[in-house]
């Protein structure tokens, strides 16, 4: 496949969604700056406009709270029909930066990894020096203000923090939550995208109910750890954090900064991650419900994220791949299903082909999985997924997600991270060796 036209189109999607200082994840559905979207967008931009990539990262960090949290969305001043509106979050009495409208929750911390990738490729020591303190403060906040049990594993308090909003792994936690008085609200997400491709009403009400609880407590982290009815240790979030800690450590080294604090987090998470999440009987990583003190026995593609982080042993990696990724009943492509990689195992009862994180293929998940496979030396399988992903984009455009049965597009059109990762997959994918030892 010639990738040149795809590269040109990817660049034009990123240019089209560019507001000057930040890039919208999608032109209509997502008109503000999202945290992990922005990290990937910066990675994409770095292929053709390095200064603009740096602006993207600065704009995201401008929303950092005084306690260190980097919020899931920085609204900037872009007017929009997006809900929740900036006013809905009521962050005035929190530790939010003055006069910068943001949400009151965070998202998976991918940024340090992206900064390291950009620095490795383009050598930007001054930029690293500029952003390093903010990254360190964010990671410190995650390992302390979000540590519920001294494990250094970070908790999430809202499904939106997982980046995989209506993943079926949150359903059981939601069953225990009964929204009493809901604030008045009007969903905006089904204005531009079919309701059948978006979260169900029951989940959406719980999303809003949780925000209402948090704003009543002014987003005080210790209060939220104590009182949020939703409290989970998420495999995906913690795998991304561990990888980002390693990358933060490399940045610290390059600057001659001390690494003891980061080493402490890495040591504790290295020990606690597998004890907490790995299920030896089935060979899967399961998320953990901190309130109920039990594993969440739902098989989703986030089980492969420890490969991205280098947290799985060789044996664990082999089991994840042989028993699950290559299992036609779960993830493997075959029979009626034609595209890598469904976000939820096909044999989960909650699997749905077109609904958001219930089953569709997402380019970001494919990228994590490919990076993980390469890290462990499964280059051939990574290459098959890469070809398939580029084929999906070529066939249906830069969509937010894709129906795994036939590759048709779902959700937002002209989706920025699908474009940014196209640049990664087409231009940068094969310049490294396996790095897991
Ligand atoms: C959705 C996704 C989230 C993403 C956001 C903007 O909320 O679940 O991961 O960051 O859209 O693209």
């Amino acid at each position: 496949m010639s990738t040149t036209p795809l590269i040109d189109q990817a660049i034009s999607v990123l240019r089209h969604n560019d507001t000057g200082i930040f890039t919208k994840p999608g032109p209509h559905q997502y008109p503000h700056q999202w945290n992990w979207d922005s990290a990937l967008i910066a990675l994409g931009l770095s292929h053709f406009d390095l200064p603009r990539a740096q602006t993207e990262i600065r704009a995201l960090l401008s929303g950092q709270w005084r306690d260190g949290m980097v919020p899931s969305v920085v609204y900037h001043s872009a007017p929009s029909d997006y809900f929740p509106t900036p006013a809905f979050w009521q962050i005035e009495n929190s530790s939010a930066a003055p006069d910068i409208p943001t949400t009151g929750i965070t998202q998976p911390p991918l940024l340090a990894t992206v900064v390291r990738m950009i620095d490795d490729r383009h050598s930007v020591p001054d930029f690293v020096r500029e952003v390093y303190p903010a990254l360190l403060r964010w990671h410190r906040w995650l390992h302390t203000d979000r540590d519920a049990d001294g494990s250094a594993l970070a908790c999430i308090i809202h499904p939106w923090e997982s980046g995989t909003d209506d993943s079926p792994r949150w359903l059981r936690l939601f069953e225990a939550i009964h929204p009493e008085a809901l604030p008045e609200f009007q969903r905006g997400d089904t204005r531009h995208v079919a309701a059948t491709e978006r979260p169900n009403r029951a989940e959406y009400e719980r999303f809003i109910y949780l925000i209402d609880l948090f704003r009543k407590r002014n987003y005080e982290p210790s209060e939220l750890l104590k009182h949020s009815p939703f409290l989970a240790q998420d495999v995906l979030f913690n795998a991304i954090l561990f990888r980002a800690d390693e990358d933060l450590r490399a940045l610290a080294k390059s600057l001659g900064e001390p690494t003891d604090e980061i080493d402490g987090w890495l040591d504790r998470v290295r020990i606690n991650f597998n004890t907490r999440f790995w299920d030896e009987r089935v060979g899967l990583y399961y998320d953990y419900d901190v309130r109920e003190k039990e594993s969440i026995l739902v098989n989703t593609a986030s089980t492969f994220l420890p490969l991205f982080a280098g947290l799985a042993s060789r044996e664990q990696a082999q089991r994840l791949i042989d028993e699950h990724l290559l299992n036609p009943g779960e993830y493997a492509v075959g029979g009626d299903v034609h595209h890598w990689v469904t976000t939820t195992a096909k044999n989960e009862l909650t699997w749905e082909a077109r609904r958001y994180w219930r089953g569709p293929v997402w380019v970001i998940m494919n990228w994590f999985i490919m990076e993980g496979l390469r890290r462990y030396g499964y280059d051939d399988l990574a290459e098959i997924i890469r070809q398939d992903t580029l084929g999906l984009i070529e066939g249906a455009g830069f969509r937010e997600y894709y129906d795994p049965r036939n590759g048709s597009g779902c959700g937002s059109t002209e989706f920025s991270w699908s474009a940014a990762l196209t640049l990664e997959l087409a231009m940068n994918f094969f310049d490294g060796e396996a790095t897991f030892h």
Side-chain angles (χ1 to χ4, degrees), residues 30-83:
Y30 304 108
H32 304 283
Q33 185 176 30
W34 265 257
N35 186 323
W36 70 337
D37 297 69
S38 238
L40 293 175
I41 288 163
L43 190 61
L45 288 168
S46 70
H47 286 286
F48 62 95
D49 190 344
L50 185 58
R52 179 62 190 78
Q54 295 174 345
T55 305
E56 187 75 25
I57 293 170
R58 287 189 187 103
L60 177 64
L61 291 176
S62 74
Q64 183 168 36
W65 284 24
R66 281 170 286 139
D67 63 6
M69 182 181 78
V70 180
S72 60
V73 179
V74 183
Y75 286 91
H76 299 287
S77 52
S80 78
D81 60 0
Y82 181 76
F83 179 83

Side-chain angles (χ1 to χ4, degrees), residues 25-26 30 34-37 72 82 107-108 160 162-166 198 356-357 362 364 400 415 417:
Y30 304 108
W34 265 257
N35 186 323
W36 70 337
D37 297 69
S72 60
Y82 181 76
Q107 256 196 336
W160 287 352
S162 74
T164 58
D165 310 5
D166 74 335
R198 297 292 305 175
Y356 219 30
W357 292 97
W362 286 72
I364 188 174
E400 188 178 3
F415 196 62
W417 82 34

Side-chain angles (χ1 to χ4, degrees), residues 204-375:
Y204 206 91
E205 287 184 354
R206 284 161 177 81
F207 296 155
I208 297 307
Y209 176 68
L210 287 171
I211 296 171
D212 192 39
L213 296 183
F214 303 160
R215 63 188 191 176
K216 285 180 180 141
R217 295 186 187 272
N218 292 324
Y219 302 95
E220 170 48 42
S222 59
E223 288 282 294
L224 301 190
L225 269 194
K226 234 182 278 157
H227 298 288
S228 173
F230 183 101
L231 195 67
Q233 288 165 339
D234 173 10
V235 170
L236 175 141
F237 194 103
N238 280 285
I240 289 174
L241 177 57
F242 181 85
R243 164 83 185 253
D245 281 339
E246 283 189 333
D247 294 321
L248 190 67
R249 185 181 190 284
L251 297 174
K253 280 240 166 248
S254 76
L255 295 173
E257 293 288 331
T259 60
D260 314 25
E261 185 181 12
I262 305 172
D263 287 333
W265 301 329
L266 286 165
D267 288 346
R268 280 153 67 212
V269 173
R270 202 176 284 113
I271 292 166
N272 293 323
F273 191 93
N274 278 291
T275 320
R276 168 73 10 121
F277 298 129
W278 176 251
D279 189 323
E280 179 64 21
R281 294 162 311 155
V282 292
L284 285 169
Y285 286 97
Y286 284 132
D287 308 275
Y288 188 76
D289 179 347
V290 179
R291 285 278 170 258
E292 293 300 321
K293 297 194 173 40
E294 61 188 28
S295 298
I296 303 166
L297 306 178
V298 182
N299 179 359
T300 70
S302 68
T303 198
F304 303 118
L305 264 286
L307 303 176
F308 174 75
L311 275 162
S313 66
R314 286 233 159 264
E315 294 70 32
Q316 287 169 318
Q318 193 74 46
R319 287 194 68 187
L320 286 170
I321 293 162
D322 289 350
E323 295 174 28
H324 302 289
L325 189 58
L326 295 177
N327 177 346
E330 296 184 17
Y331 295 96
V333 167
D336 291 331
V337 179
H338 304 290
H339 291 282
W340 297 96
V341 175
T342 180
T343 37
T344 298
K346 284 173 269 169
N347 57 1
E348 285 289 344
L349 293 176
T350 46
W351 188 86
E352 283 185 70
R354 298 185 72 82
R355 195 182 297 282
Y356 219 30
W357 292 97
R358 291 287 168 85
V361 176
W362 286 72
V363 178
I364 188 174
M365 290 303 286
N366 282 10
W367 180 70
F368 286 136
I369 293 169
M370 285 180 254
E371 286 281 325
L373 290 172
R374 283 178 64 221
R375 193 164 181 170

